[in-house]
Amino acid sequence: MINKTVLVTGGAGYIGTHTVLHLLLAGFKTVVIDNLHNSSQIAILRVKKLAGDFGNNLSFHKADLRDRDALEQIFVSTKFDAVIHFAGLKAVGESVQKPLLYYNNNLSGAITLLEVMAAHGCKKLVFSSSATVYGWPKEVPCTEEFPLSAANPYGRTKLIIEEICRDVCSAEPDWKIILLRFFNPVGAHPSGYIGEDPQGIPNNLMPFVQQVAVGRRPALTVFGNDYNTIDGTGVRDYIHVVDLADGHVAALLKLDESNIGCEVYNLGTGKGTSVLEMVRAFEQASGKKIPLVIAGRRPGDAEIVYASIEKAGRELKWKAKYGIDEMCRDQWNWASKNPHGYGSQEDSTD
Ligand code: NAD
Ligand code: UDP
């Protein structure tokens, strides 16, 4: 048993639930804070079940990260060894429409968290950044040293929080912060018991494909088939959410090393896959035909983005294990068992 306690903000969400399960199974005591804005408490109950006896090491607080008093209470009642910070709004289009909402939620949330952590002497953090900070990269694979940019307010919140973390570590060298730049998380836990359940119309490719496959939407709109890629469609680095969860345990272990300061790692597979290749893999896994409508490019979209995975391999001793076939298999398993996500009538009571 690892006698360590981790606070996970946004732990009821898609990546959070998978990570919390991994932490529990690795022996960490885990406390989740989430305001359930984009998630369901059913997800937490399912994580508890999946973790078996380790489920007793999970506790949940429904609260907003910006609620300083609520956060204080949590830190007063529990001494944390480290924090994993997932909580945030993440819809690119919505961030363009409502920039203040995004700056308020993501930046105020992060600042309040850092202040309360410092006040309680907890100075180890893993933060969810994103490949979006590479903008339209001039070349691939993207290494951690590439120049950074933001194409929208969501991306800018990631850039700003990264900068805040670097400044905090420079000012107070006893902080240890790992910034993880996630590429494109897809798939679900192989049990089909937890997975992604976006509210409203999905922004991301695979949740949309999944909803077409279960009959919730008529067709996938492909944003552009005139890119300079294998088949004209955009190329991304899709990573199984279980691999991503595993990367967080590796990052926590890294935080135990001395004097790391503020470090950044890509979490991707190092492989690029086009939209059409991904759709084909999903059709294969699901046996469902995905009708396509070809449309123009989506503003702000890059052509090809995939990760350099060397630094994470070398320093975190972490490498993704799964490929797109496993991602699509597990995504379909989750989708077919939960066509309406956590809102499925037959599932919502357990
Ligand atoms: P998600 O929406 O499923 O999870 C985020 C969780 O944070 C939700 O449960 C939401 O209710 C909670 N939350 C939001 N604001 C909060 C607040 N102020 N107080 C308390 N809880 C709050 O998203 P996800 O896909 O699991 O993403 C997790 C993190 O990873 C986010 O920061 C996201 O920006 C980042 N990320 C996601 C992706 C992706 O494609 N999914 C890619 C790169 C980075
Ligand atoms: N995409 C698409 N149709 C959709 C959603 C996404 O063709 O409904 C494409 C998008 O243009 C990009 C790829 O799928 O080339 C991945 O998009 P996503 O939004 O999932 O990730 P991001 O662009 O943020 O990396």
Side-chain angles (χ1 to χ4, degrees), residues 184 203-205 220-223 234 236 238 275 298 301:
N184 294 62
N203 295 278
N204 295 115
L205 177 66
L220 170 73
T221 304
V222 176
F223 297 137
R236 295 291 183 273
Y238 297 94
V275 173
R298 187 170 63 176
D301 264 0

Side-chain angles (χ1 to χ4, degrees), residues 49-204:
K49 264 196 185 175
L50 281 172
D53 289 346
F54 292 108
N56 296 328
N57 289 333
L58 171 62
S59 58
F60 174 71
H61 298 271
K62 180 176 185 295
D64 193 293
L65 207 51
R66 293 163 296 175
D67 180 345
R68 185 181 298 267
D69 291 343
L71 200 56
E72 272 286 343
Q73 291 257 311
I74 294 170
F75 273 83
V76 165
S77 64
T78 309
K79 185 169 164 22
F80 295 108
D81 293 283
V83 175
I84 300 180
H85 178 36
F86 290 112
L89 300 175
K90 61 163 186 176
V92 170
E94 187 184 47
S95 81
V96 174
Q97 305 299 321
K98 301 177 183 168
L100 290 177
L101 176 71
Y102 273 65
Y103 290 126
N104 187 324
N105 191 79
N106 294 4
L107 299 185
S108 300
I111 293 168
T112 309
L113 175 66
L114 287 162
E115 286 174 347
V116 174
M117 285 175 69
H120 291 269
C122 172
K123 294 190 166 182
K124 288 185 192 166
L125 177 74
V126 178
F127 170 62
S128 314
S129 188
S130 164
T132 189
V133 299
Y134 294 120
W136 182 312
K138 288 206 172 58
E139 52 181 327
V140 277
C142 302
T143 71
E144 287 82 352
E145 293 75 36
F146 270 24
L148 306 180
S149 67
N152 50 66
Y154 164 70
R156 208 157 291 120
T157 66
K158 294 295 179 198
L159 268 186
I160 295 170
I161 297 169
E162 282 204 6
E163 293 295 358
I164 292 173
C165 291
R166 280 187 270 273
D167 288 342
V168 164
C169 286
S170 309
E172 295 177 25
D174 54 335
W175 275 89
K176 295 181 186 180
I177 302 186
I178 292 185
L179 310 171
L180 295 178
R181 293 187 184 142
F182 307 163
F183 280 66
N184 294 62
V186 301
H189 188 264
S191 64
Y193 212 47
I194 54 174
E196 186 167 17
D197 182 21
Q199 313 288 303
I201 301 170
N203 295 278
N204 295 115

Side-chain angles (χ1 to χ4, degrees), residues 131-132 134-137 151 223 227 229 233-236 297-305:
T132 189
Y134 294 120
W136 182 312
F223 297 137
Y227 287 110
T229 61
T233 63
V235 166
R236 295 291 183 273
R297 296 180 179 194
R298 187 170 63 176
D301 264 0
E303 188 165 72
I304 305 182
V305 187

